[in-house]
Amino acid sequence: MEHSSPESPIRTPRARPITRRTLLGTLALGASALAGLLPACGELPTNPRISVLLAVNELLPGPHRFPFTLVDGDGGLVTGANINVRFVRLIGERDEFRFEAPAREHVAGASYDHVHADGTVHVHDHSRSYYLVSDNQFEEGLWRADLEVEPAFGSAYAASTAFQVGRRTSAPRVGDAAPAFANLTSRDAPNLESLTTADPPLPALYEHSIVETLSRAEPFVVAFSTPGYCTSAMCGPVTAVVGSLSRDFGDRVRFIHLEPFDLNVARTEGRLVWGDAARAWNLETEPWVFVIDASGRVAARFEGLVGAVELEPAVDAVAGPPLN
């Protein structure tokens, strides 16, 4: 849905300062613990039942997407809200305002008809709403995002979350060569269930290996996500988005879904350990989606929740003529 335009953003007065020492000591406590330590923005009351959860684990200096969700005390998503976000850099005892922008609400995921052996059909809905602020520059250091929220029902309220922008990332960056990996495909496995926890699995996502696609100089999208073992509720929607786009671009771009964890260990021992593919790509979090151009380099990368509104332009940018 559309929200307030950049030309007429909701104005949020400057919040009280919070020290670097306090944040460094509390960033690891989680959203609920931080809620009592962060200052309220403006004159709006805070809502103690609302937590701001970032949908990424890392933010790098420079232009970076800022996806997040609002979760109520019962664990439900807050959707349909108009949100303006004021970004403040925390330097010592000072708050330094950097920029503000409206957050746009998007949906990551898709719905699929699942046909059972007896012919009955039911719909699998793998979707999740999220809010996104994009096209803004972040500097390395400590930050706070002050939100002014106008919910679909009820009174407006304020919410805040602290986060850190750092230079470290282990995952391939834009411009890096995509790591070659000989992942198993549907040609190598007895069934799709041995390759994925997606329900239902989309066969087109398991027909190609990374190493073969690189050798043919074909553009591709690779998603590292685990619908069956995800603890963040992000993996199913992200896998569904990739599957949906494969229907539209599959004749010009290859699409590959890989489980980041070792499925054999997860299924037999109940432990989540990184699989060979995730280790080859130096991943430390999931889900991730990478868009690779025909030269074999990373053209775009997305951590956490990502919808078609973000991913489709990146895929379209690398799509070439029809593939054999």
Side-chain angles (χ1 to χ4, degrees):
M1 63 178 292
E2 293 298 319
H3 300 291
S4 55
S5 67
E7 290 78 13
S8 57
I10 302 169
R11 296 291 172 181
T12 306
R14 186 181 298 277
R16 300 191 306 273
I18 184 169
T19 67
R20 177 188 298 266
R21 176 178 296 178
T22 301
L23 275 178
L24 284 174
T26 57
L27 276 172
L29 294 180
S32 59
L34 282 169
L37 296 169
L38 294 172
C41 50
E43 298 179 356
L44 288 177
T46 57
N47 187 334
R49 287 178 49 80
I50 300 297
S51 297
V52 183
L53 301 182
L54 296 187
V56 292
N57 285 286
E58 65 174 39
L59 284 102
L60 303 179
H64 203 290
R65 58 194 297 266
F66 189 85
F68 65 92
T69 61
L70 296 182
V71 179
D72 63 26
D74 298 321
L77 288 180
V78 176
T79 62
N82 289 313
I83 303 175
N84 191 73
V85 187
R86 181 183 175 91
F87 290 91
V88 178
R89 176 85 185 280
L90 305 171
I91 304 177
E93 300 293 326
R94 305 191 315 277
D95 287 3
E96 291 192 0
F97 169 76
R98 285 296 188 263
F99 55 88
E100 65 180 313
R104 308 292 183 183
E105 187 175 13
H106 302 297
V107 175
S111 297
Y112 296 107
D113 290 338
H114 186 193
V115 181
H116 292 268
D118 61 2
T120 60
V121 179
H122 73 270
V123 177
H124 283 253
D125 182 20
H126 302 287
S127 60
R128 185 175 176 86
S129 175
Y130 70 104
Y131 296 96
L132 177 71
V133 177
S134 57
D135 301 325
N136 289 288
Q137 296 276 339
F138 289 97
E139 307 156 39
E140 185 175 6
L142 293 172
W143 289 72
R144 191 182 67 243
D146 293 334
L147 284 64
E148 189 171 73
V149 183
E150 293 184 355
F153 304 98
S155 302
Y157 55 86
S160 294
T161 189
F163 60 96
Q164 194 157 16
V165 176
R167 295 187 177 278
R168 181 186 178 279
T169 181
S170 60
R173 296 174 181 260
V174 171
D176 286 352
F181 183 77
N183 53 284
L184 296 180
T185 70
S186 54
R187 302 186 305 273
D188 311 307
N191 51 59
L192 292 183
E193 288 71 21
S194 66
L195 299 176
T196 178
T197 61
D199 181 24
L202 187 63
L205 301 185
Y206 309 98
E207 295 176 349
H208 306 281
S209 75
I210 292 175
V211 67
E212 290 173 348
T213 306
L214 287 172
S215 70
R216 296 192 297 260
E218 296 173 340
F220 67 95
V221 174
V222 57
F224 292 85
S225 57
T226 179
Y229 293 105
C230 194
T231 59
S232 64
M234 297 183 193
C235 303
V238 168
T239 308
V241 168
V242 172
S244 178
L245 289 178
S246 74
R247 301 174 190 271
D248 299 327
F249 291 91
D251 61 334
R252 296 185 294 150
V253 179
R254 303 302 189 196
F255 287 81
I256 301 170
H257 169 240
L258 297 175
E259 293 277 337
F261 300 118
D262 187 313
L263 284 187
N264 182 57
V265 173
R267 287 167 169 167
T268 60
E269 301 178 26
R271 296 186 299 114
L272 295 182
V273 298
W274 294 110
D276 292 341
R279 288 199 297 268
W281 282 62
N282 293 318
L283 302 187
E284 297 179 351
T285 61
E286 50 81 31
W288 276 95
V289 179
F290 297 90
V291 180
I292 312 301
D293 64 23
S295 71
R297 297 196 172 273
V298 178
R301 65 179 209 158
F302 302 90
E303 184 201 8
L305 275 178
V306 59
V309 69
E310 296 183 82
L311 187 54
E312 183 173 354
V315 175
D316 187 52
V318 302
L323 302 170
N324 295 326

